Amino acid sequence: MLTGASGFLGKVWLAMVLHRVPSVGKIYVLLRPKAQRSALDRFERMVATSPAFKPLHELHGAGMGEFIASRVEVVEGDVTTPGFDIRDAELAARLHRDLDLILNCAGLVDFDPDLREAMSTNVDGARHAAEFTLRCARARLLHVSTCYVTGLRQGVVPEAVDPAFSPCGEPFDVTREYAEITTASEQIIAAHESPDAEAAALAETLKQMRAKGQDEGNAMLLRNLLRRVKRQRLKDELIAEGQRRAKRWQWHNIYTYSKAMAEAIIASSLPADRFTMFRPAIVESALEYPFPGWNQGFNTCTPLIYLLGGWFRHLPARIGNPFDVIPVDYVCRGLVVAAASLLLGRHAPVYQCGSSDRNLLTIDRAIELTALAHRKHLRNHGDTALERVVLSRWDAITTDIDHLLSVPNIRSAAEGLRDWLRESKFPKFLRDTTDEWADKTDDALDTVDTIDKMVDLYQPFVHDNHYVFVSQALFAAPLVEPEFDCDPRNIRWRDYWLDIHVPGLRKWCFPLFENKTPPGYTPRHPFKLPRPPAPAAAPTTPSPRSLHPDIGRPAAAQHAEV
């Protein structure tokens, strides 16, 4: 059973296994209904439109629907609910009896989400996966985590799991931590329902309406905006609480904090022979499957690469720091190897899947390759002469945090320029021009704030900490099938970065930053899962003369004949 099939990793793994292991008995895909779409409709739409399934469509053509139906069963459920919210008792019993493996890919990958959402998806989801595994006759759990559960800890990171581990060195009690989070969240929610919080939210709403020139007397508009402001204020407070708790234990952010809690819960709940952790590093564009460059969304290092394609080219990073990137198809190959080992009972407790200890890519080299990829593109496809002539020759470099062109220095200079333009007494004939430039400076400051937040978000990974993730367990057993070789030593970073990764991001991910839609995918043969035949209409009561001759025969004989 696969959870998280709608995510980047889940899609590629599902397509790869159906393609390369077509004899697989059955894959149950757990999906929740969403936006008035049933789980089955969501799955059908995903397979029909996602480029991840392109090789399968090309292989099976018009028979794709029949093939998928013979190998996949969609299960409507939700990892955030006990028992995965599978309400069909007969189906749940069949799963408990028949499952060999549960692959838990479900997870919230935002760095700093609402604390409630992180707990619900990442922590409760892991707990429910462990509980479901225990109810099964023989199923084992392969849980997808992240290498960065190590937190703010330097050096070589071994392939080991310890439920009491914390980066700060203090013993970590996940049960107590979860209880404290629950209490803190309840207190924050209660505080935001108080009269004082209501008054503060109303004041903020009215301030926003005045700034936009909106009608404060419009009761419906006021009510809707107030509801939105209250929701955002509560979310911000819960994010701040999650960040505070993560920082207290020395995890980078809410994501790594919640994923570490998930590992602790699973390791505390299941015997060692029933689970293994799978920790990828930074999962990026496919090297080869489903095709070179496939990617989706804008997590991991995509925002940094997008940022370095503009005029901002001085990234605070520490020269020589490993930048542990691994293509998504290598992660999926590794998941197959880890799953096979787990099913054979020859598994390691942890499989780390990265490149830092076998094929090192440093952050300064990655920045250099990123600049080369952008320059190559801008020379041929820049929108303006300035981009084609100047920006295409503008190098990206690693810098110190306090570099002359650091983000704080740029902000300080821009704020000084804006204030000078607004406060100086220019001649009347220049006033309109200076006001226009002051407004443009305000817009530039908004961009600087975005860059500042992004740099701050990635600073622990590219500047503050030096990680080398041991990735040896995947290679402990001899591999028979070359199509599941996941050794990163086969990756040539220059070729991957210039010809596959950055072009793939430009095609599939960059449009999302620009409020555009990435290219769509339509298979040559329309995809539709076969539907069961509609039940036959109830027969009319026949006259005695037209009764079938079998009526009146013993039931066993009728059944045998049917």
Side-chain angles (χ1 to χ4, degrees):
M1 181 162 66
L2 171 66
T3 73
S6 61
F8 177 40
L9 181 62
K11 280 193 188 85
V12 177
W13 183 88
L14 178 60
M16 179 182 286
V17 170
L18 289 171
H19 193 183
R20 295 182 173 174
V21 194
S23 60
V24 63
K26 178 168 285 190
I27 299 176
Y28 294 92
V29 174
L30 185 79
L31 281 176
R32 58 190 171 94
K34 188 177 181 181
Q36 298 183 335
R37 283 184 178 274
S38 69
L40 187 61
D41 286 345
R42 284 188 66 203
F43 175 79
E44 192 172 61
R45 179 178 175 81
M46 178 180 81
V47 175
T49 62
S50 173
F53 295 93
K54 181 180 178 181
L56 275 173
H57 283 288
E58 292 177 347
L59 178 65
H60 293 285
M64 177 73 163
E66 292 290 342
F67 172 75
I68 295 293
S70 71
R71 294 291 182 267
V72 176
E73 182 173 338
V74 178
V75 176
E76 190 162 291
D78 191 338
V79 297
T80 68
T81 305
F84 288 157
D85 201 28
I86 299 171
R87 301 178 185 182
D88 184 332
E90 183 179 338
L91 172 60
R94 173 157 53 96
L95 291 169
H96 294 153
R97 182 189 70 233
D98 294 345
L99 282 179
D100 297 297
L101 178 75
I102 298 172
L103 173 53
N104 185 33
C105 281
L108 192 64
V109 296
D110 295 350
F111 278 4
D112 282 310
D114 184 321
L115 182 58
R116 294 169 299 181
E117 294 176 6
M119 291 299 108
S120 177
T121 303
N122 292 349
V123 181
D124 290 340
R127 185 195 314 278
H128 300 147
E131 291 169 351
F132 200 94
T133 302
L134 282 174
R135 293 194 191 102
C136 292
R138 62 178 182 276
R140 300 179 180 193
L141 175 63
L142 177 55
H143 174 72
V144 178
S145 183
T146 171
C147 283
Y148 294 95
V149 291
T150 189
L152 305 178
R153 187 178 63 163
Q154 305 289 324
V156 176
V157 181
E159 295 177 290
V161 60
D162 176 6
F165 167 78
S166 76
C168 71
E170 298 178 27
F172 184 74
D173 185 333
V174 69
T175 303
R176 184 172 66 187
E177 186 74 8
Y178 187 90
E180 290 180 5
I181 291 170
T182 302
T183 300
S185 299
E186 290 171 350
Q187 291 172 346
I188 290 170
I189 292 169
H192 274 261
E193 294 172 350
S194 69
D196 288 346
E198 184 78 22
L202 178 60
E204 183 178 335
T205 305
L206 292 171
K207 181 180 177 181
Q208 291 181 7
M209 293 180 74
R210 291 176 192 131
K212 295 178 181 179
Q214 294 172 322
D215 180 11
E216 298 175 31
N218 186 329
M220 181 177 292
L221 177 62
L222 176 61
R223 184 169 59 251
N224 290 339
L225 293 177
L226 177 60
R227 188 183 303 117
R228 188 183 306 165
V229 167
K230 289 169 65 176
R231 188 164 55 241
Q232 188 61 49
R233 286 168 65 90
L234 175 58
K235 180 180 178 180
D236 290 344
E237 186 69 23
L238 286 162
I239 290 173
E241 173 65 14
Q243 290 171 330
R244 184 188 69 78
R245 301 193 76 90
K247 185 178 180 181
R248 179 257 180 272
W249 293 102
Q250 294 185 9
W251 273 291
H252 317 85
N253 48 43
I254 298 171
Y255 170 66
T256 56
Y257 165 66
S258 62
K259 294 296 279 187
M261 290 181 67
E263 282 200 9
I265 286 172
I266 291 172
S268 302
S269 305
L270 291 174
D273 65 332
R274 297 290 295 274
F275 79 93
T276 191
M277 306 296 179
F278 191 91
R279 297 174 181 162
I282 303 171
V283 183
E284 283 299 348
S285 307
L287 181 71
E288 172 265 334
Y289 191 91
F291 50 83
W294 163 241
N295 208 322
Q296 73 173 40
F298 45 83
N299 292 304
T300 58
C301 69
T302 306
L304 280 184
I305 292 176
Y306 181 82
L307 182 64
L308 291 172
W311 292 98
F312 177 78
R313 297 287 180 97
H314 294 73
L315 183 68
R318 192 176 301 281
I319 292 175
N321 258 14
F323 193 51
D324 205 319
V325 168
I326 191 78
V328 64
D329 45 340
Y330 272 54
V331 177
C332 292
R333 296 178 193 182
L335 280 168
V336 173
V337 173
S341 301
L342 178 61
L343 293 176
L344 291 169
R346 303 173 189 168
H347 58 287
V350 175
Y351 292 89
Q352 290 182 165
C353 184
S355 57
S356 53
D357 75 328
R358 296 176 76 84
N359 187 4
L360 177 64
L361 173 70
T362 63
I363 182 60
D364 44 305
R365 178 60 171 158
I367 291 172
E368 177 188 16
L369 292 174
T370 298
L372 288 173
H374 285 313
R375 290 172 61 177
K376 180 180 178 182
H377 172 80
L378 289 168
R379 277 197 301 271
N380 300 317
H381 306 288
D383 291 332
T384 65
L386 191 64
E387 289 185 351
R388 291 190 296 272
V389 176
V390 179
L391 192 56
S392 68
R393 291 167 171 79
W394 193 276
D395 271 330
I397 60 173
T398 55
T399 65
D400 295 328
I401 290 177
D402 56 356
H403 185 268
L404 177 64
L405 293 178
S406 66
V407 175
N409 288 345
I410 293 172
R411 180 193 291 107
S412 179
E415 288 173 345
L417 174 62
R418 178 200 57 193
D419 295 343
W420 177 73
L421 289 168
R422 291 207 188 283
E423 296 169 7
S424 297
K425 294 184 178 180
F426 292 97
K428 187 175 181 181
F429 70 91
L430 287 177
R431 189 71 261 172
D432 289 345
T433 301
T434 56
D435 285 345
E436 181 183 346
W437 277 100
D439 290 342
K440 288 182 177 179
T441 308
D442 274 333
D443 293 340
L445 279 167
D446 289 341
T447 303
V448 170
D449 285 340
T450 300
I451 293 172
D452 192 25
K453 290 175 183 175
M454 199 177 299
V455 169
D456 187 59
L457 200 63
Y458 285 91
Q459 185 174 317
F461 305 99
V462 302
H463 182 278
D464 297 348
N465 301 287
H466 183 286
Y467 303 111
V468 175
F469 299 111
V470 173
S471 300
Q472 300 297 326
L474 281 172
F475 312 102
L479 185 66
V480 176
E481 301 88 347
E483 62 268 30
F484 293 115
D485 181 7
C486 52
D487 192 336
R489 290 179 296 186
N490 299 325
I491 303 170
R492 299 178 61 175
W493 289 119
R494 181 185 175 92
D495 295 342
Y496 172 74
W497 216 263
L498 294 183
D499 301 330
I500 296 174
H501 181 39
V502 177
L505 295 181
R506 191 175 297 281
K507 181 174 183 178
W508 301 107
C509 301
F510 286 6
L512 299 171
F513 289 92
E514 299 162 358
N515 295 317
K516 299 176 183 176
T517 304
Y521 172 69
T522 304
R524 181 180 176 186
H525 299 276
F527 172 74
K528 198 78 175 173
L529 288 169
R531 295 290 192 265
T540 56
T541 304
S543 65
R545 285 179 299 177
S546 62
L547 284 173
H548 192 280
D550 285 343
I551 291 179
R553 291 170 58 189
Q558 294 182 42
H559 179 72
E561 186 130 327
V562 170

